[in-house]
Amino acid sequence: MGRKVTLATCSLNQWALDFEGNLTRILKSIEIAKQKGAKYRLGPELEICGYGCADHFYESDTLLHCFQVLKSLLESPLTQDIICDVGMPVMHHNVRYNCRVIFLNKKILLIRPKMLLANYGNNREFRWFSPWSRPRHVEEYFLPRMIQDVTGQTTVPFGDGVLSTKDTCLGSEICAELWNPRSPHVDMGLDGIEIFTNSSASYHELRKADHRVNLVKSATTKSGGIYLFANQKGCDGDRLYYDGCAMIAINGDIVARGAQFSLKDVEVVSATLDLEDVRSYRGERCHPHMHKPYQRIKTDFSLSDCDDRCLPTHQPVEWIFHTPEEEISLGPACWLWDYLRRSGQAGFLLPLSGGVDSSSTACIVYSMCVQICRAVKDGNSQVLEDVQRVVSDSSYRPEDPRELCGRLFTTCYMASENSSVDTRNRAKDLAAQIGSNHLNINIDMAVKGMLGIFSMVTGKWPQFRANGGSARENLALQNVQARIRMILAYLFAQLCLWAQGKPGGLLVLGSANVDESLTGYFTKYDCSSADINPIGGVSKMDLKCFLQYCVKRFQLTALISILDAPPTAELEPLTDGKIVQTDEADMGMTYSELSVIGRLRKISKCGPYSMFCKLIHSWKETFSPSQVATKVKHFFRMYSINRHKMTTVTPSYHAENYSPDDNRFDLRPFLYNTQWAWQFRCIDNEVSRSTEQCDFIRFEMP
């Protein structure tokens, strides 16, 4: 009997409810796994239907189509002589479960339901599924007739069992079970299971990859074993980007890994490993335990060959993690490409103001073009086919990112009488360096037309504060400029290519960062209202670091002056041609302060009082307790007054775990009592106590 096994895991760019495409990608991954000599293939979580089906999981159609795809998989010649492990929802006793279906040679060996569901962050699995609550229990599942006709089986095992081959034993985990403090792999390892598998739909967040890798390494460091991690990749249909990172580990070492960001729809990672290495590792670490043993589902199949003495095994590899700046360059760019090619549109349009935010969005689009050209150069036929379809040219072959950017990307500077020459030039210079099709548009005529309509009806003509107007007039005049920019952006997005005699339309890109969303520092339905926003989950501080990275990585020297300029909306009159309005002055706090407050609000789950109590210590070198109280109160007033804006905010790439995205991630009211009377009184009492304590200390000092 041999002892070396070749195993395969994968990352697939699945799409919710795209059953045809999902089936094709699953079969392709199985074909590649067999070509690599693998006897077992693991796929991502819910790969047959796509992870992001949301309330479509309630529909009987979704379950039906999943079984139809499973039938096609069972019948395919590609799935013969390899154990296939696929993910799909299954209803058992009228209860929906998130399951793994493991089959071999037209026979289903085991259906393993998920036991520990993900119900945090963007995950709402308890809404659609129930956890399997009977550890180590297996019962009969009656197969649908369409599957019975293929397998000849009436029932199959369903539950928390493990698979026993002639030479080893495999046990399944599903996504969040790896993150849980009571991960199943612990007990499985103590019961002699040697190979653990994890099918995931783990989405990207900045600075998250190392946590995932460390968990996989830790799972086999404690008691040995082989661990396979599969993950979804790409845009599944909403704000999330799944970043791949399929990997294989043994005894605490990563021996094979896939890319974190890639335009490949199918990526298969395989490794040949020696089971005796697991047994030797466990020899002095594992002891008999008294728990109820797992029910082993026996199969007459071997993962190893009899004569494998000359078969080399994989050795540990070093995992080089991307910096946050690289992650911003790669993740949102891949997400944009998936969205563009799957939406059927012909490119993007961005209102480019010459500031940090819109410039960051422009740089992400340019990074997307860089990745497309590299993928085509590396022989990715799917990317080439997609880009030819997007640009409506079957003979086109992208080679230069700047040239491709000119085909896919239109930028426009929308000037008003309040715009400066400096911002106009900064936008123009950046557009020239990335190669976008750049337009200069003056909106003054449209603004005066809107105000003229108002004046005809009311007999009043509002004035800016600088010209003697009230605060209400000043705000209304700013908002009308911002909203006209949104209307013009959509007009040009729909008709720009038509005017050039080209087919298709453009997707409008937004460019509001996560910190501005926290305070609502944007006009509702202004040019931050767009089709999608690649930076809506990224902080201002990270965006500045990202632009510095782009200066070096892409030689975009125009960004230097953009980084040096103070952030401004340019919605109020200039003074001697110079900007007098700045974002941080308008918000009443700096972006770095907002970043800290945002993390305390969401990640640390602080209300006004507990946030104040934390900040008086962390900011004690900079602000007095009363100054901290003022900042905290100001933030919560702004947050609660403007919270309604988040109900209509542009769908944004999820990148930051303090995102205020109202759709799925940050579920809070949008009508508040903005006085926060009780909470602010608690803060005031604490400030008084702090002041009295300081006075007492000063009085006692000699």
Side-chain angles (χ1 to χ4, degrees), residues 440-494:
N440 277 301
I441 304 170
N442 191 291
I443 68 170
D444 287 335
M445 184 187 304
V447 172
K448 287 182 170 60
M450 291 289 289
L451 294 177
I453 294 172
F454 178 81
S455 182
M456 281 178 55
V457 174
T458 65
K460 300 282 188 177
W461 193 283
Q463 299 293 325
F464 281 105
R465 181 167 41 206
N467 299 326
S470 65
R472 282 190 293 173
E473 295 170 73
N474 196 69
L475 183 59
L477 289 173
Q478 292 184 64
N479 287 344
V480 73
Q481 296 171 77
R483 288 177 174 137
I484 281 173
R485 284 176 173 144
M486 184 269 288
I487 294 169
L488 287 172
Y490 274 99
L491 176 64
F492 276 83
Q494 289 178 311

Side-chain angles (χ1 to χ4, degrees), residues 375-395:
V376 171
K377 183 180 179 181
D378 292 342
N380 190 322
S381 58
Q382 183 64 60
V383 171
L384 178 59
E385 178 185 326
D386 287 334
V387 77
Q388 289 174 342
R389 178 170 42 80
V390 170
V391 302
S392 300
D393 185 350
S394 59
S395 65

Side-chain angles (χ1 to χ4, degrees), residues 153-168:
Q153 301 165 290
T154 303
T155 63
V156 296
F158 184 102
D160 184 26
V162 297
L163 190 64
S164 181
T165 64
K166 288 182 177 182
D167 46 3
T168 187

Side-chain angles (χ1 to χ4, degrees), residues 602-650:
K602 177 64 177 174
I603 302 171
S604 300
K605 300 173 178 59
C606 289
Y609 176 71
S610 55
M611 183 182 292
F612 166 78
C613 292
K614 287 181 180 294
L615 288 176
I616 56 173
H617 297 290
S618 57
W619 285 356
K620 64 181 179 181
E621 302 298 328
T622 310
F623 302 112
S624 67
S626 61
Q627 289 172 319
V628 172
T630 299
K631 284 187 177 291
V632 170
K633 290 178 182 179
H634 178 66
F635 167 77
F636 274 97
R637 285 195 191 99
M638 293 293 293
Y639 168 78
S640 55
I641 288 170
N642 292 316
R643 172 66 185 161
H644 66 95
K645 295 180 181 180
M646 293 308 299
T647 63
T648 62
V649 75
T650 296

Side-chain angles (χ1 to χ4, degrees), residues 1-162:
M1 177 62 66
R3 65 187 209 179
K4 295 177 182 177
V5 294
T6 301
L7 310 167
T9 183
C10 60
S11 294
L12 303 183
N13 195 335
Q14 303 298 74
W15 189 7
L17 303 177
D18 179 25
F19 294 99
E20 190 77 33
N22 292 348
L23 170 60
T24 299
R25 287 180 283 270
I26 291 170
L27 286 172
K28 184 64 177 177
S29 70
I30 294 170
E31 180 183 13
I32 296 172
K34 292 180 73 173
Q35 290 171 355
K36 291 173 176 280
K39 296 290 186 67
Y40 172 89
R41 173 268 183 200
L42 175 72
E45 185 176 13
L46 295 170
E47 60 189 302
I48 287 180
C49 56
Y51 183 79
C53 294
D55 281 1
H56 288 289
F57 285 123
Y58 290 136
E59 299 169 4
S60 61
D61 281 11
T62 303
L63 298 173
L64 168 66
H65 299 326
C66 283
F67 273 110
Q68 290 170 335
V69 171
L70 179 62
K71 179 176 183 289
S72 296
L73 289 169
L74 288 163
E75 292 175 331
S76 172
L78 289 172
T79 63
Q80 302 307 297
D81 300 320
I82 182 172
I83 296 176
C84 297
D85 190 334
V86 300
M88 59 180 276
V90 177
M91 181 176 280
H92 178 53
H93 293 167
N94 293 333
V95 177
R96 285 180 182 84
Y97 295 98
N98 176 348
C99 293
R100 303 305 300 173
V101 179
I102 306 171
F103 63 90
L104 169 68
N105 294 337
K106 297 187 178 181
K107 299 291 183 183
I108 294 177
L109 306 175
L110 172 67
I111 299 178
R112 199 280 197 178
K114 192 171 185 177
M115 303 177 67
L116 302 168
L117 301 184
N119 209 51
Y120 47 83
N122 284 287
N123 301 302
R124 297 287 181 273
E125 289 182 6
F126 273 102
R127 180 177 175 89
W128 309 297
F129 302 112
S130 294
W132 181 251
S133 57
R134 306 183 70 181
R136 301 179 186 82
H137 175 78
V138 176
E139 57 194 42
E140 286 187 325
Y141 174 78
F142 283 83
L143 292 170
R145 278 176 290 183
M146 74 171 86
I147 303 300
Q148 292 182 29
D149 292 342
V150 177
T151 66
Q153 301 165 290
T154 303
T155 63
V156 296
F158 184 102
D160 184 26
V162 297

